[in-house]
Coordinates of all heavy atoms in Angstrom, one line a residue:
M1 N -63.3 -72.6 4.9 CA -63.6 -71.7 6.0 C -63.7 -70.2 5.6 O -62.8 -69.7 4.9 CB -62.5 -71.8 7.1 CG -63.1 -72.3 8.4 SD -61.8 -72.6 9.6 CE -61.4 -70.9 10.0
S2 N -64.7 -69.6 5.9 CA -64.9 -68.2 5.5 C -65.1 -67.3 6.8 O -65.8 -67.8 7.7 CB -66.0 -68.0 4.5 OG -67.2 -68.3 5.1
T3 N -64.6 -66.1 6.7 CA -64.9 -65.2 7.8 C -66.0 -64.3 7.4 O -65.9 -63.6 6.4 CB -63.6 -64.4 8.1 OG1 -62.5 -65.3 8.1 CG2 -63.7 -63.6 9.4
R4 N -67.0 -64.3 8.2 CA -68.1 -63.4 7.9 C -67.9 -62.1 8.5 O -67.6 -61.9 9.6 CB -69.4 -64.0 8.5 CG -70.2 -64.9 7.5 CD -71.5 -65.3 8.1 NE -72.4 -64.2 8.3 CZ -73.4 -64.2 9.1 NH1 -73.5 -65.2 10.0 NH2 -74.2 -63.2 9.2
R5 N -67.9 -61.1 7.6 CA -67.7 -59.7 8.1 C -69.0 -59.1 8.3 O -69.8 -58.9 7.4 CB -66.8 -59.0 7.1 CG -65.4 -59.5 7.1 CD -64.5 -58.7 6.2 NE -64.3 -57.3 6.8 CZ -64.1 -56.2 6.1 NH1 -64.0 -56.3 4.8 NH2 -63.9 -55.1 6.7
I6 N -69.2 -58.6 9.5 CA -70.4 -57.9 9.8 C -70.1 -56.4 9.8 O -69.2 -56.0 10.5 CB -71.0 -58.4 11.2 CG1 -71.3 -59.9 11.1 CG2 -72.3 -57.6 11.6 CD1 -71.6 -60.5 12.5
P7 N -70.9 -55.7 9.0 CA -70.6 -54.3 9.0 C -70.9 -53.6 10.3 O -71.8 -54.0 11.1 CB -71.6 -53.7 7.9 CG -72.6 -54.8 7.7 CD -72.0 -56.1 8.2
L8 N -70.0 -52.6 10.7 CA -70.2 -51.9 11.9 C -71.0 -50.6 11.7 O -70.9 -50.0 10.6 CB -68.8 -51.5 12.5 CG -67.9 -52.6 12.9 CD1 -66.6 -52.1 13.3 CD2 -68.5 -53.4 14.0
R9 N -71.8 -50.3 12.6 CA -72.6 -49.1 12.6 C -72.4 -48.4 13.9 O -72.2 -49.0 14.9 CB -74.1 -49.4 12.3 CG -74.4 -49.9 11.0 CD -74.2 -48.9 9.9 NE -74.5 -49.4 8.6 CZ -73.7 -50.0 7.8 NH1 -72.4 -50.2 8.2 NH2 -74.0 -50.4 6.6
K10 N -72.6 -47.1 13.9 CA -72.4 -46.3 15.1 C -73.8 -46.1 15.8 O -74.7 -45.7 15.2 CB -71.8 -45.0 14.9 CG -71.3 -44.3 16.1 CD -70.3 -43.2 15.8 CE -71.1 -41.9 15.6 NZ -70.2 -40.7 15.6
C11 N -73.8 -46.5 17.1 CA -75.0 -46.2 17.9 C -75.1 -44.7 18.2 O -74.1 -44.1 18.6 CB -74.9 -47.0 19.2 SG -76.1 -46.5 20.4
I12 N -76.3 -44.2 18.0 CA -76.4 -42.8 18.2 C -76.6 -42.4 19.6 O -76.6 -41.2 20.0 CB -77.7 -42.2 17.4 CG1 -78.9 -43.1 17.7 CG2 -77.4 -42.2 15.9 CD1 -80.2 -42.5 17.3
G13 N -76.7 -43.4 20.5 CA -76.8 -43.2 21.9 C -75.4 -43.1 22.6 O -75.0 -42.1 23.1
C14 N -74.7 -44.2 22.5 CA -73.4 -44.3 23.2 C -72.2 -43.9 22.2 O -71.1 -43.9 22.7 CB -73.1 -45.7 23.8 SG -73.2 -47.0 22.6
N15 N -72.5 -43.7 20.9 CA -71.5 -43.4 19.9 C -70.4 -44.4 19.8 O -69.3 -44.1 19.4 CB -70.9 -42.0 20.2 CG -71.8 -40.9 19.9 OD1 -72.5 -40.9 18.9 ND2 -71.9 -39.9 20.8
E16 N -70.7 -45.7 20.1 CA -69.8 -46.8 19.9 C -70.1 -47.5 18.6 O -71.2 -47.7 18.2 CB -69.9 -47.8 21.0 CG -69.1 -47.3 22.3 CD -69.3 -48.2 23.4 OE1 -69.3 -49.4 23.2 OE2 -69.4 -47.7 24.6
M17 N -69.0 -48.0 17.9 CA -69.2 -48.8 16.7 C -69.5 -50.2 17.1 O -68.8 -50.8 17.9 CB -67.9 -48.8 15.9 CG -67.5 -47.4 15.3 SD -68.7 -46.6 14.2 CE -68.5 -47.7 12.7
K18 N -70.6 -50.7 16.6 CA -71.0 -52.1 17.0 C -71.4 -52.8 15.7 O -71.9 -52.2 14.7 CB -72.2 -52.1 17.9 CG -71.9 -51.3 19.2 CD -72.4 -52.0 20.4 CE -71.9 -51.3 21.6 NZ -72.6 -51.7 22.8
P19 N -71.4 -54.2 15.8 CA -71.9 -54.9 14.6 C -73.3 -54.6 14.4 O -74.1 -54.5 15.4 CB -71.7 -56.4 15.1 CG -70.7 -56.4 16.2 CD -70.8 -55.0 16.8
K20 N -73.7 -54.5 13.1 CA -75.0 -54.1 12.8 C -76.1 -55.0 13.4 O -77.2 -54.6 13.7 CB -75.1 -54.2 11.2 CG -76.0 -53.3 10.5 CD -75.9 -53.5 9.0 CE -77.2 -53.1 8.4 NZ -77.1 -53.4 6.9
T21 N -75.7 -56.3 13.6 CA -76.7 -57.2 14.1 C -77.0 -57.0 15.6 O -78.0 -57.4 16.1 CB -76.1 -58.6 14.0 OG1 -74.8 -58.6 14.5 CG2 -76.1 -59.1 12.6
E22 N -76.2 -56.2 16.3 CA -76.5 -55.9 17.7 C -77.3 -54.6 17.8 O -77.6 -54.2 18.9 CB -75.1 -55.7 18.4 CG -74.5 -57.1 18.7 CD -73.2 -56.9 19.4 OE1 -73.0 -55.9 20.1 OE2 -72.3 -57.8 19.3
L23 N -77.5 -54.0 16.7 CA -78.2 -52.7 16.8 C -79.6 -52.8 16.2 O -79.9 -53.8 15.5 CB -77.4 -51.6 16.0 CG -76.0 -51.4 16.4 CD1 -75.2 -50.6 15.5 CD2 -75.9 -50.9 17.8
I24 N -80.4 -51.9 16.5 CA -81.7 -51.8 15.9 C -81.8 -50.5 15.1 O -81.2 -49.5 15.4 CB -82.9 -51.8 17.0 CG1 -84.2 -51.9 16.4 CG2 -82.8 -50.7 17.9 CD1 -84.7 -53.3 16.1
R25 N -82.4 -50.6 13.9 CA -82.5 -49.4 13.0 C -83.7 -48.6 13.4 O -84.8 -49.2 13.6 CB -82.5 -49.9 11.6 CG -82.3 -48.9 10.6 CD -81.9 -49.5 9.2 NE -81.9 -48.5 8.2 CZ -82.8 -48.3 7.2 NH1 -83.8 -49.2 7.1 NH2 -82.7 -47.3 6.4
V26 N -83.6 -47.4 13.5 CA -84.7 -46.5 13.7 C -84.8 -45.6 12.4 O -83.8 -45.1 11.9 CB -84.4 -45.5 14.9 CG1 -85.7 -44.7 15.2 CG2 -84.0 -46.3 16.1
I27 N -86.0 -45.6 11.8 CA -86.1 -44.9 10.6 C -87.2 -43.8 10.7 O -88.1 -43.9 11.5 CB -86.4 -45.8 9.4 CG1 -87.8 -46.5 9.6 CG2 -85.3 -46.8 9.2 CD1 -88.5 -46.7 8.3
R28 N -87.1 -42.9 9.8 CA -88.1 -41.9 9.5 C -88.8 -42.3 8.2 O -88.1 -42.4 7.2 CB -87.5 -40.6 9.4 CG -88.3 -39.5 8.9 CD -87.5 -38.2 8.9 NE -88.1 -37.3 7.9 CZ -87.4 -36.1 7.6 NH1 -86.3 -35.9 8.0 NH2 -88.0 -35.3 6.7
N29 N -90.1 -42.7 8.3 CA -90.7 -43.2 7.1 C -91.3 -42.1 6.2 O -91.1 -40.9 6.5 CB -91.8 -44.2 7.4 CG -92.9 -43.6 8.2 OD1 -93.1 -42.4 8.2 ND2 -93.7 -44.5 8.9
A30 N -91.8 -42.5 5.1 CA -92.3 -41.5 4.1 C -93.4 -40.6 4.7 O -93.5 -39.4 4.2 CB -92.9 -42.2 2.9
E31 N -94.1 -41.0 5.7 CA -95.1 -40.2 6.3 C -94.5 -39.3 7.4 O -95.2 -38.5 8.0 CB -96.2 -41.1 7.0 CG -97.1 -41.8 6.1 CD -96.5 -43.1 5.5 OE1 -95.8 -43.8 6.2 OE2 -96.6 -43.3 4.3
G32 N -93.2 -39.4 7.6 CA -92.5 -38.5 8.6 C -92.7 -39.0 10.0 O -92.4 -38.3 10.9
N33 N -93.1 -40.3 10.1 CA -93.1 -40.9 11.4 C -91.8 -41.7 11.7 O -91.2 -42.2 10.8 CB -94.3 -41.9 11.5 CG -95.6 -41.2 11.3 OD1 -95.9 -40.1 11.9 ND2 -96.5 -41.8 10.5
V34 N -91.5 -41.8 13.0 CA -90.3 -42.5 13.4 C -90.7 -43.9 13.9 O -91.7 -44.0 14.7 CB -89.6 -41.7 14.6 CG1 -88.4 -42.5 15.1 CG2 -89.3 -40.3 14.1
E35 N -90.1 -44.9 13.4 CA -90.4 -46.2 13.8 C -89.2 -47.1 13.9 O -88.1 -46.8 13.3 CB -91.5 -46.9 12.9 CG -91.1 -46.9 11.5 CD -92.2 -47.4 10.6 OE1 -93.3 -47.6 11.1 OE2 -91.9 -47.7 9.4
L36 N -89.3 -48.2 14.6 CA -88.2 -49.2 14.7 C -88.3 -50.1 13.5 O -89.4 -50.5 13.1 CB -88.3 -50.0 16.0 CG -87.9 -49.3 17.3 CD1 -88.0 -50.4 18.4 CD2 -86.6 -48.7 17.3
D37 N -87.1 -50.4 12.9 CA -87.1 -51.2 11.7 C -86.4 -52.5 12.1 O -85.2 -52.6 12.0 CB -86.4 -50.5 10.6 CG -86.2 -51.4 9.4 OD1 -86.9 -52.4 9.3 OD2 -85.5 -51.0 8.5
G38 N -87.2 -53.5 12.5 CA -86.6 -54.7 13.0 C -86.0 -55.5 11.9 O -85.1 -56.3 12.1
T39 N -86.5 -55.4 10.7 CA -86.0 -56.1 9.5 C -84.7 -55.5 8.9 O -84.0 -56.1 8.2 CB -87.0 -56.3 8.4 OG1 -87.3 -55.0 7.9 CG2 -88.3 -56.9 9.0
G40 N -84.5 -54.2 9.1 CA -83.4 -53.5 8.5 C -83.7 -53.2 7.0 O -82.7 -52.8 6.3
R41 N -84.9 -53.4 6.6 CA -85.1 -53.3 5.1 C -86.1 -52.2 4.7 O -86.4 -52.0 3.6 CB -85.7 -54.6 4.6 CG -84.6 -55.7 4.5 CD -85.1 -56.8 3.7 NE -84.6 -58.1 4.2 CZ -85.3 -59.2 4.3 NH1 -86.5 -59.2 3.9 NH2 -84.7 -60.3 4.7
K42 N -86.6 -51.5 5.7 CA -87.6 -50.5 5.4 C -86.9 -49.3 4.8 O -85.7 -49.0 5.1 CB -88.3 -50.0 6.7 CG -89.3 -51.1 7.2 CD -90.1 -50.6 8.4 CE -90.9 -51.7 9.0 NZ -91.5 -51.3 10.2
N43 N -87.6 -48.6 3.9 CA -87.1 -47.4 3.3 C -87.2 -46.2 4.2 O -88.1 -46.1 5.0 CB -87.8 -47.1 2.0 CG -87.5 -48.1 0.9 OD1 -86.4 -48.5 0.8 ND2 -88.5 -48.5 0.2
G44 N -86.2 -45.3 4.1 CA -86.3 -44.1 4.9 C -85.0 -43.8 5.4 O -84.0 -44.6 5.4
R45 N -84.8 -42.6 5.9 CA -83.6 -42.1 6.6 C -83.5 -42.9 7.9 O -84.4 -42.9 8.7 CB -83.7 -40.6 6.8 CG -82.5 -40.1 7.5 CD -82.6 -38.6 7.6 NE -82.3 -37.9 6.4 CZ -81.0 -37.7 5.9 NH1 -80.0 -38.1 6.6 NH2 -80.8 -37.1 4.8
G46 N -82.3 -43.5 8.1 CA -82.2 -44.3 9.3 C -81.1 -44.0 10.2 O -80.1 -43.3 9.8
A47 N -81.2 -44.5 11.4 CA -80.1 -44.3 12.4 C -80.0 -45.7 13.2 O -81.0 -46.4 13.2 CB -80.4 -43.2 13.4
Y48 N -78.9 -45.9 13.8 CA -78.8 -47.2 14.5 C -78.6 -46.9 16.0 O -78.0 -45.9 16.4 CB -77.5 -48.0 14.0 CG -77.8 -48.5 12.6 CD1 -77.5 -47.7 11.5 CD2 -78.3 -49.8 12.4 CE1 -77.8 -48.2 10.2 CE2 -78.5 -50.3 11.2 CZ -78.3 -49.5 10.1 OH -78.5 -50.0 8.8
L49 N -79.2 -47.9 16.7 CA -79.2 -47.7 18.2 C -79.0 -49.1 18.8 O -79.5 -50.1 18.3 CB -80.6 -47.2 18.6 CG -80.8 -46.7 20.0 CD1 -80.0 -45.4 20.3 CD2 -82.3 -46.4 20.2
C50 N -78.3 -49.2 19.9 CA -78.2 -50.5 20.7 C -79.6 -50.9 21.1 O -80.5 -50.0 21.3 CB -77.4 -50.3 21.9 SG -75.7 -49.8 21.6
R51 N -79.8 -52.2 21.2 CA -81.1 -52.7 21.7 C -81.2 -52.5 23.2 O -81.3 -53.5 23.9 CB -81.2 -54.2 21.3 CG -81.3 -54.4 19.8 CD -81.1 -55.9 19.5 NE -81.1 -56.1 18.1 CZ -82.2 -56.5 17.4 NH1 -83.3 -56.8 18.0 NH2 -82.2 -56.7 16.1
D52 N -81.1 -51.3 23.6 CA -81.0 -50.9 25.0 C -81.6 -49.6 25.2 O -81.3 -48.6 24.6 CB -79.5 -50.9 25.3 CG -79.2 -50.8 26.8 OD1 -80.1 -50.3 27.5 OD2 -78.1 -51.1 27.3
T53 N -82.5 -49.6 26.2 CA -83.2 -48.3 26.4 C -82.3 -47.2 27.0 O -82.5 -46.1 26.8 CB -84.4 -48.5 27.4 OG1 -83.9 -49.2 28.6 CG2 -85.5 -49.3 26.8
A54 N -81.2 -47.7 27.6 CA -80.2 -46.7 28.1 C -79.6 -45.9 26.9 O -79.4 -44.6 27.1 CB -79.1 -47.4 28.8
C55 N -79.4 -46.5 25.8 CA -78.9 -45.8 24.7 C -80.0 -44.9 24.0 O -79.7 -43.8 23.5 CB -78.3 -46.8 23.6 SG -76.7 -47.4 24.1
L56 N -81.2 -45.3 24.1 CA -82.3 -44.5 23.6 C -82.3 -43.2 24.4 O -82.5 -42.1 23.9 CB -83.6 -45.3 23.7 CG -84.8 -44.5 23.2 CD1 -84.8 -44.2 21.7 CD2 -86.1 -45.2 23.6
L57 N -82.2 -43.3 25.7 CA -82.2 -42.2 26.6 C -81.0 -41.2 26.3 O -81.2 -40.0 26.3 CB -82.2 -42.6 28.1 CG -83.5 -43.3 28.6 CD1 -83.3 -43.8 30.0 CD2 -84.7 -42.4 28.5
K58 N -79.9 -41.8 26.0 CA -78.7 -41.0 25.7 C -79.0 -40.3 24.3 O -78.6 -39.1 24.2 CB -77.5 -41.9 25.5 CG -76.9 -42.3 26.8 CD -75.6 -43.2 26.6 CE -75.3 -44.0 27.8 NZ -74.4 -45.1 27.5
A59 N -79.6 -41.0 23.4 CA -79.9 -40.4 22.1 C -80.8 -39.3 22.2 O -80.8 -38.3 21.5 CB -80.4 -41.5 21.1
E60 N -81.7 -39.4 23.2 CA -82.7 -38.3 23.5 C -82.0 -37.1 24.0 O -82.2 -36.0 23.6 CB -83.8 -38.8 24.4 CG -84.8 -37.8 24.7 CD -85.9 -38.3 25.7 OE1 -85.8 -39.4 26.1 OE2 -86.9 -37.5 25.9
K61 N -81.1 -37.4 25.0 CA -80.3 -36.3 25.7 C -79.4 -35.6 24.7 O -79.3 -34.4 24.7 CB -79.6 -36.8 26.9 CG -80.3 -36.7 28.2 CD -79.4 -37.0 29.3 CE -80.3 -37.3 30.6 NZ -79.7 -38.2 31.5
N62 N -78.6 -36.4 24.0 CA -77.6 -35.7 23.1 C -78.2 -35.3 21.7 O -77.4 -34.9 20.9 CB -76.3 -36.6 23.0 CG -76.6 -37.9 22.2 OD1 -77.6 -38.0 21.5 ND2 -75.7 -38.9 22.4
K63 N -79.4 -35.6 21.6 CA -80.2 -35.3 20.3 C -79.6 -36.0 19.1 O -79.7 -35.5 18.0 CB -80.2 -33.7 20.1 CG -80.9 -33.0 21.2 CD -81.4 -31.7 20.7 CE -82.1 -30.8 21.8 NZ -83.3 -31.5 22.4
G64 N -78.9 -37.1 19.3 CA -78.3 -37.9 18.3 C -79.4 -38.3 17.3 O -79.1 -38.3 16.1
L65 N -80.5 -38.7 17.8 CA -81.6 -39.2 16.9 C -82.1 -38.1 16.0 O -82.3 -38.2 14.8 CB -82.7 -39.9 17.7 CG -83.7 -40.6 16.9 CD1 -83.1 -41.8 16.1 CD2 -84.8 -41.2 17.8
E66 N -82.3 -37.0 16.6 CA -82.8 -35.8 15.9 C -81.9 -35.4 14.8 O -82.3 -35.1 13.7 CB -83.1 -34.6 16.9 CG -84.1 -35.0 17.9 CD -84.6 -33.7 18.6 OE1 -84.1 -32.6 18.5 OE2 -85.7 -33.9 19.3
H67 N -80.6 -35.4 15.1 CA -79.6 -35.0 14.1 C -79.5 -36.1 13.0 O -79.5 -35.7 11.8 CB -78.2 -34.9 14.7 CG -78.0 -33.7 15.6 ND1 -77.2 -33.6 16.6 CD2 -78.6 -32.5 15.4 CE1 -77.2 -32.4 17.2 NE2 -78.1 -31.7 16.5
S68 N -79.6 -37.3 13.3 CA -79.5 -38.4 12.3 C -80.7 -38.3 11.4 O -80.6 -38.5 10.2 CB -79.4 -39.8 12.9 OG -78.2 -39.8 13.6
L69 N -81.9 -38.1 12.0 CA -83.1 -38.2 11.2 C -83.5 -36.8 10.6 O -84.4 -36.6 9.9 CB -84.3 -38.7 12.0 CG -84.1 -40.2 12.5 CD1 -85.3 -40.7 13.2 CD2 -83.7 -41.1 11.4
K70 N -82.8 -35.8 11.1 CA -83.0 -34.4 10.7 C -84.4 -34.0 10.9 O -85.1 -33.5 10.0 CB -82.6 -34.2 9.2 CG -81.2 -34.6 8.9 CD -80.6 -33.8 7.7 CE -79.3 -34.3 7.3 NZ -78.3 -34.2 8.4
M71 N -84.9 -34.2 12.1 CA -86.3 -33.8 12.4 C -86.4 -33.6 14.0 O -85.6 -34.2 14.7 CB -87.3 -34.8 11.9 CG -87.1 -36.2 12.6 SD -88.3 -37.4 11.9 CE -89.8 -36.9 12.7
A72 N -87.3 -32.8 14.4 CA -87.6 -32.7 15.8 C -88.4 -33.9 16.2 O -89.3 -34.4 15.5 CB -88.4 -31.4 16.1
I73 N -88.0 -34.5 17.4 CA -88.7 -35.7 17.8 C -89.4 -35.5 19.2 O -88.7 -35.2 20.2 CB -87.7 -36.9 17.9 CG1 -87.1 -37.1 16.5 CG2 -88.4 -38.1 18.5 CD1 -86.0 -38.1 16.4
P74 N -90.7 -35.5 19.2 CA -91.4 -35.3 20.4 C -91.2 -36.4 21.4 O -90.9 -37.5 21.1 CB -92.9 -35.2 20.0 CG -92.9 -35.7 18.6 CD -91.6 -35.8 18.0
K75 N -91.4 -36.1 22.7 CA -91.2 -37.0 23.8 C -92.0 -38.3 23.6 O -91.6 -39.4 23.9 CB -91.6 -36.3 25.1 CG -91.1 -37.1 26.3 CD -90.8 -36.2 27.5 CE -90.3 -37.1 28.7 NZ -89.1 -37.9 28.4
E76 N -93.2 -38.2 23.1 CA -94.1 -39.3 22.9 C -93.4 -40.4 22.0 O -93.6 -41.6 22.2 CB -95.4 -39.0 22.2 CG -96.2 -37.9 23.0 CD -95.9 -36.5 22.5 OE1 -96.4 -36.1 21.5 OE2 -95.1 -35.9 23.2
V77 N -92.6 -39.9 21.0 CA -92.0 -40.8 20.1 C -90.9 -41.6 20.9 O -90.8 -42.8 20.7 CB -91.3 -40.1 18.9 CG1 -90.5 -41.0 18.1 CG2 -92.4 -39.5 18.0
Y78 N -90.2 -40.9 21.7 CA -89.2 -41.6 22.5 C -89.8 -42.6 23.4 O -89.3 -43.8 23.6 CB -88.3 -40.6 23.3 CG -87.4 -39.8 22.5 CD1 -87.6 -38.5 22.3 CD2 -86.2 -40.4 22.0 CE1 -86.7 -37.7 21.6 CE2 -85.3 -39.6 21.2 CZ -85.6 -38.3 21.0 OH -84.7 -37.5 20.3
E79 N -90.9 -42.3 24.0 CA -91.7 -43.2 24.9 C -92.1 -44.4 24.1 O -92.0 -45.5 24.6 CB -92.8 -42.5 25.5 CG -92.4 -41.6 26.7 CD -93.4 -40.6 27.1 OE1 -94.6 -40.6 26.7 OE2 -93.1 -39.7 28.0
A80 N -92.6 -44.2 22.9 CA -93.1 -45.3 22.1 C -91.9 -46.2 21.7 O -92.0 -47.5 21.7 CB -93.8 -44.8 20.8
L81 N -90.8 -45.6 21.3 CA -89.6 -46.4 21.0 C -89.1 -47.2 22.2 O -88.7 -48.3 22.1 CB -88.5 -45.5 20.5 CG -88.7 -44.8 19.1 CD1 -87.5 -43.9 18.8 CD2 -88.9 -45.8 18.0
E82 N -89.2 -46.6 23.4 CA -88.7 -47.3 24.6 C -89.6 -48.5 24.8 O -89.1 -49.6 25.1 CB -88.8 -46.3 25.8 CG -88.1 -46.8 27.0 CD -88.2 -45.8 28.2 OE1 -88.5 -44.7 27.9 OE2 -87.9 -46.3 29.3
K83 N -90.9 -48.4 24.7 CA -91.8 -49.5 24.8 C -91.5 -50.6 23.8 O -91.5 -51.8 24.2 CB -93.3 -49.1 24.6 CG -93.9 -48.7 25.9 CD -95.4 -48.3 25.7 CE -95.8 -47.3 26.8 NZ -96.9 -46.5 26.4
E84 N -91.2 -50.2 22.6 CA -90.9 -51.2 21.6 C -89.6 -51.9 21.9 O -89.5 -53.1 21.7 CB -90.8 -50.5 20.2 CG -92.1 -50.3 19.5 CD -92.0 -50.0 18.0 OE1 -91.5 -50.9 17.3 OE2 -92.3 -48.9 17.7
L85 N -88.6 -51.1 22.3 CA -87.3 -51.7 22.7 C -87.5 -52.7 23.8 O -86.9 -53.8 23.8 CB -86.3 -50.7 23.1 CG -85.5 -50.0 22.0 CD1 -84.6 -48.9 22.7 CD2 -84.7 -51.0 21.2
N86 N -88.3 -52.4 24.8 CA -88.6 -53.3 25.9 C -89.3 -54.6 25.5 O -88.9 -55.6 25.9 CB -89.5 -52.6 27.0 CG -88.7 -51.6 27.8 OD1 -87.5 -51.9 28.1 ND2 -89.3 -50.6 28.3
S87 N -90.2 -54.4 24.5 CA -90.8 -55.7 24.1 C -89.9 -56.5 23.2 O -90.0 -57.7 23.2 CB -92.1 -55.3 23.3 OG -91.8 -54.6 22.1
L88 N -89.0 -55.9 22.5 CA -88.0 -56.7 21.8 C -87.1 -57.5 22.7 O -86.8 -58.6 22.5 CB -87.0 -55.7 21.0 CG -87.5 -55.1 19.7 CD1 -86.4 -54.2 19.2 CD2 -87.9 -56.1 18.7
G89 N -86.7 -56.8 23.8 CA -85.9 -57.5 24.8 C -86.5 -58.7 25.4 O -85.8 -59.7 25.6
S90 N -87.8 -58.6 25.7 CA -88.5 -59.8 26.3 C -88.7 -61.0 25.4 O -88.9 -62.1 25.9 CB -89.8 -59.3 26.9 OG -90.6 -58.8 25.9
E91 N -88.6 -60.7 24.1 CA -88.7 -61.8 23.2 C -87.5 -62.7 23.1 O -87.6 -63.8 22.7 CB -89.0 -61.3 21.7 CG -90.5 -60.9 21.5 CD -90.7 -60.2 20.2 OE1 -89.8 -60.3 19.3 OE2 -91.7 -59.4 20.1
E92 N -86.3 -62.1 23.4 CA -85.1 -62.8 23.2 C -84.7 -63.7 24.4 O -85.2 -63.5 25.5 CB -84.0 -61.9 22.9 CG -84.0 -61.5 21.4 CD -83.2 -60.3 21.0 OE1 -82.3 -59.9 21.8 OE2 -83.4 -59.7 20.0
Ligands
ZN1 ZN1 -75.4 -47.7 22.3

């Protein structure tokens, strides 16, 4: 019997530590664009967020995403991320 240890990461929205598997990675890619990293393997500066649009809204309000990615994030990006999060939710 082995105990699988899942690393914890902090959600930039609610600031709670959660298993990595429950979070979605948001990265800033080489082109300077912000995107969701469903595989967790893309290169770039990343931040973690619950798979929940409520946390995305919190991250927008507290500027957690901007701080983590060290860039200004326009509203359109949050809107695009929100749509992506919603489509992720409907798949599960
Ligand atoms: Zn959260």
